[in-house]
Amino acid sequence: MAEPVSIILPVFNGERYIEAAIRSVLGQTYRDFELLILNDGSTDRTLELCAVYARDPRVRIVDHADRAGITHRLNEGLALARYEWIARMDADDICHPWRIAHQMAYVSQHPKCVLVATQVHVIDENGRYLRTEGLPAAFLYYSLHFECCIFHPTILFQRKAILDIGGYQLPFAEDYDLFVRTMQRYRLGGVDEPLLSYRIHQKSTHRHLYREAYASASNEVSHRVWLSVCPDLPPASYLRAYQYDYSELHDVEEMQDCLETLDRFSITLLHLDNPNRHIPDMLYIWSYKRNLMLQQMAARLSPGKARRFIGKQMHKAPAGRVFPVSWCRLVWQKIRSHGISS
């Protein structure tokens, strides 16, 4: 028998897109769910529009006159949800019809997994397709040590596990912080197909409206996860380079040390016990990341320096893997993820 799912949708002033978001949930092929809409003090027509759908017995609306912020509302949703499995949803995104069905099929096949992400179709403010993004699930564990590579509104998670780690905690980067704390104790997973249309627009909530605060909080989380593996933080310029920003690496020696620091970190990570550790996958994505960084660093050098830099570094690639430039570019196009750009 299928387990019911609670779908949590916090919203603040979402009148433009909220109806499309609700309709996409109500149109799920997986029928056993509740939709819990948490109105966070909206001052536009959001509540009025949501009320139209409350005639469906699966829809519950919790209205608040005052705004408390997304972290507070998400924890409220955890407390009010009727079911053990909870899916996230944002007021400006669109669920694909089979989203919940495919995620629940995944957890039935992977009973140790407590959080399941998916890939996304990125769309613009008018709903036009822009690109497909999202890392393959096998690479999430390694990649989360450098940046947030999971789309928050795609996740389905087990409530008990999330409550066990303390629920949502940070006012900004609450998603990245949750993913890191979850992966340190429980198995993560993912459906390697786009199951949600993720909308980018000028009034995107939270991460985009508070970009600087989110970036600062995200950096603090990435520092914490690095220190959980190695005792000392590398220079900030190295940490930015691991997110493919090389603007503060000015010479070959810095680039070489940055790559060697990545190697030491990755070797240590390989030896740490974790429910998500799968050495072949970790070796693969480490090798891929290192070779991609090598190419991008070399592109910033003069031709002569680039040849010497590549020649010196290629023999250091982990597990003897050296990938041709054309292959790396092709794979990069296929697994490009949110927050990781060339």
Side-chain angles (χ1 to χ4, degrees):
M1 183 176 177
E3 292 189 62
V5 176
S6 293
I7 301 173
I8 297 177
L9 194 164
V11 57
F12 170 74
N13 286 353
E15 65 179 0
R16 181 174 180 182
Y17 301 115
I18 186 65
E19 289 189 278
I22 293 173
R23 287 196 297 266
S24 75
V25 172
L26 297 181
Q28 291 294 297
T29 60
Y30 195 95
R31 308 303 295 171
D32 196 0
F33 66 84
E34 68 163 345
L35 173 59
L36 182 58
I37 301 172
L38 301 157
N39 183 36
D40 190 26
S42 295
T43 57
D44 61 3
R45 297 178 59 238
T46 294
L47 182 61
E48 175 187 343
L49 296 173
C50 291
V52 173
Y53 298 91
R55 289 174 291 191
D56 188 312
R58 296 172 297 177
V59 176
R60 283 199 289 155
I61 300 174
V62 180
D63 181 39
H64 295 279
D66 298 323
R67 191 176 185 192
I70 190 170
T71 298
H72 183 89
R73 296 300 173 221
L74 289 174
N75 284 326
E76 180 183 22
L78 288 176
L80 295 176
R82 291 173 175 150
Y83 306 124
E84 178 63 13
W85 284 101
I86 295 176
R88 271 283 286 114
M89 180 63 185
D90 279 343
D92 50 3
D93 297 331
I94 298 173
C95 282
H96 297 185
W98 44 89
R99 173 198 165 177
I100 302 299
H102 286 200
Q103 288 183 291
M104 289 302 290
Y106 183 94
V107 298
S108 69
Q109 296 164 10
H110 302 82
K112 293 184 179 180
C113 180
V114 304
L115 187 150
V116 183
T118 83
Q119 298 172 348
V120 300
H121 287 154
V122 179
I123 59 176
D124 69 11
E125 60 183 9
N126 296 312
R128 290 177 296 214
Y129 171 83
L130 299 176
R131 58 191 177 272
T132 298
E133 295 190 4
L135 276 178
F139 302 150
L140 293 177
Y141 170 62
Y142 179 85
S143 301
L144 279 168
H145 287 82
F146 306 101
E147 59 192 327
C148 187
C149 54
I150 294 175
F151 289 84
H152 194 192
T154 71
I155 65 171
L156 172 87
F157 58 84
Q158 189 180 60
R159 178 167 62 173
K160 181 181 182 301
I162 299 306
L163 291 176
D164 283 348
I165 65 168
Y168 289 91
Q169 296 182 355
L170 301 184
F172 298 101
E174 78 292 337
D175 51 353
Y176 188 17
D177 173 64
L178 184 83
F179 304 150
V180 165
R181 287 184 290 114
T182 302
M183 78 171 181
Q184 290 172 339
R185 288 183 56 180
Y186 297 105
R187 180 79 59 86
L188 305 181
V191 180
D192 290 337
E193 63 177 303
L195 295 178
L196 180 128
S197 291
Y198 183 85
R199 195 185 305 271
I200 301 293
H201 58 96
Q202 290 184 345
K203 294 185 179 180
S204 296
T205 57
H206 202 50
R207 181 184 293 202
H208 302 285
L209 289 176
Y210 304 101
R211 188 179 300 273
E212 291 185 4
Y214 189 94
S216 176
S218 183
N219 286 337
E220 291 181 9
V221 175
S222 66
H223 294 174
R224 172 160 39 91
V225 71
W226 181 283
L227 292 172
S228 71
V229 178
C230 292
D232 300 304
L233 278 175
S237 59
Y238 290 15
L239 294 173
R240 281 188 282 273
Y242 301 144
Q243 298 177 10
Y244 307 103
D245 175 1
Y246 311 105
S247 58
E248 296 185 21
L249 295 181
H250 302 298
D251 55 51
V252 172
E253 288 71 24
E254 282 185 308
M255 294 177 180
Q256 290 174 342
D257 188 57
C258 179
L259 290 173
E260 291 167 5
T261 300
L262 175 67
D263 294 341
R264 291 191 293 271
F265 177 88
S266 300
I267 290 170
T268 303
L269 184 62
L270 282 169
H271 287 84
L272 294 182
D273 188 32
N274 185 278
N276 297 284
R277 184 179 68 166
H278 185 253
I279 290 177
D281 290 337
M282 293 173 68
L283 285 173
Y284 184 95
I285 189 59
W286 168 23
S287 300
Y288 174 79
K289 183 179 184 71
R290 193 187 200 283
N291 278 277
L292 177 63
M293 290 180 62
L294 179 61
Q295 295 169 42
Q296 293 177 337
M297 288 176 174
R300 301 174 62 85
L301 302 172
S302 66
K305 286 184 177 180
R307 284 193 294 270
R308 291 192 294 273
F309 176 55
I310 291 175
K312 186 173 182 179
Q313 288 295 320
M314 275 298 190
H315 74 280
K316 296 183 179 181
R321 297 177 183 268
V322 178
F323 302 138
V325 172
S326 60
W327 184 91
C328 284
R329 286 175 179 165
L330 177 63
V331 174
W332 177 245
Q333 292 172 0
K334 292 184 179 298
I335 70 169
R336 191 176 180 183
S337 69
H338 181 67
I340 304 179
S341 62
S342 58

